[in-house]
Amino acid sequence: MSAFSGKNVARVSVAGGIAATTLLLLAGPASAHVSVQPQGEAAKGGYATINFKVPNERDDASTTKVEVNFPTEHPLASVMPQPVPGWKVDVTKSKLAEPLKMHGNTITEAVSKVTWTATGGKSGPGIASGQFQQFPLSVGQLPQDADELLFKTLQTYDDKEVVRWIEAPEEGEEEPESPAPVLKLTAATDDEHGGTAGASSAGTAGAASKQDGAQNDAKSGDAKSGTASASGSDTTARVLGIAGIVVGAAGVTFGILAGRRRTA
């Protein structure tokens, strides 16, 4: 009976392991989708650096092209890509239905799409199987009347397959099969460039630097004063020592002469 129970336990364990592995295999591809994350925070009304993370989901193909479409309902006038080795980047702009006001200027067009295309060469033919690539962008001015931005993205493989990451996730619903990257926006800051904290930190660092400089100057002055004092003490000791030698020599000479006179 005990042996039979042991065999059953072993079979159940093996079956459970196979089931868990199957679930992991099925869940793996679904979670490996294109996403976007900010470096730090993406505050409403400010500027931010964001990264599009593109994984390769295929075992027998490489990703050679990534197209990110920008939301038309919240146009972004400033989009600056960071160079990515092995990739050519193209920024497409489109006319706006209504001009935007930014820093006192009237903006009549905004970025509608950014496309990265693999160039091959020494950097490799795009994103290989089992790898991912990040594509950084500096963007702004972020909208103040939105909590998130959705970027519909197309991922093209070298076998001409195109995966369309364009489905909008719905709150309270299961994640769609091909969700579009969503950038979450945080509360607005005092500085539209997101530099309040940085300026404060810089001021604090500057004050600390000045304070450290003053302390270093004081220490340097003390060190110089101590050195000068020590140098003066050494000079005095040397003078006294030489004077003592001279007096001693004079005394010896006087003693010898006095002895000779007595003998004479």
Side-chain angles (χ1 to χ4, degrees):
M1 186 69 177
S2 177
F4 179 75
S5 299
K7 289 180 180 180
N8 285 343
V9 171
R11 289 174 182 172
V12 170
S13 299
V14 171
I18 293 173
T21 303
T22 303
L23 288 175
L24 288 175
L25 290 174
L26 291 175
S31 61
H33 52 72
V34 177
S35 60
V36 59
Q37 292 293 335
Q39 292 182 7
E41 290 187 349
K44 298 178 181 179
Y47 291 75
T49 298
I50 60 178
N51 281 324
F52 286 90
K53 182 180 179 181
V54 182
N56 190 328
E57 296 183 311
R58 301 293 180 263
D59 296 330
D60 55 355
S62 296
T63 296
T64 55
K65 188 176 181 180
V66 177
E67 301 171 73
V68 176
N69 293 278
F70 281 65
T72 57
E73 67 275 16
H74 297 293
L76 300 178
S78 176
V79 176
M80 298 176 61
Q82 179 177 317
V84 179
W87 295 81
K88 181 187 72 170
V89 59
D90 294 304
V91 178
T92 303
K93 293 185 177 182
S94 300
K95 291 289 184 180
L96 296 174
E98 296 183 5
L100 294 175
K101 292 289 186 180
M102 183 177 293
H103 306 303
N105 298 321
T106 301
I107 308 299
T108 59
E109 61 180 12
V111 173
S112 57
K113 182 170 66 173
V114 177
T115 304
W116 289 271
T117 305
T119 58
K122 295 181 179 180
S123 300
I127 309 171
S129 176
Q131 298 180 358
F132 73 91
Q133 177 67 55
Q134 293 194 51
F135 299 95
L137 292 174
S138 173
V139 299
Q141 193 172 1
L142 297 173
Q144 296 181 339
D145 57 349
D147 295 324
E148 62 184 26
L149 294 178
L150 185 141
F151 299 88
K152 296 183 178 181
T153 303
L154 304 183
Q155 181 179 9
T156 303
Y157 289 87
D158 58 8
D159 60 0
K160 307 304 179 183
E161 179 188 5
V162 178
V163 179
R164 302 170 63 85
W165 304 99
I166 61 173
E167 298 181 67
E170 298 291 340
E171 187 175 355
E173 300 292 335
E174 292 186 2
E175 184 179 71
E177 185 177 352
S178 300
V182 176
L183 176 66
K184 300 291 185 180
L185 303 183
T186 58
T189 60
D190 293 336
D191 182 3
E192 64 181 10
H193 288 82
T196 302
S200 176
S201 299
T204 303
S209 177
K210 290 180 181 178
Q211 184 177 1
D212 291 343
Q215 292 178 350
N216 290 337
D217 289 343
K219 291 179 181 179
S220 177
D222 292 343
K224 290 180 181 178
S225 176
T227 303
S229 178
S231 177
S233 299
D234 290 343
T235 301
T236 302
R238 289 175 184 173
V239 171
L240 292 176
I242 294 173
I245 293 173
V246 172
V247 172
V252 172
T253 303
F254 179 79
I256 294 174
L257 291 176
R260 288 180 179 178
R261 289 175 181 175
R262 291 173 183 173
T263 302

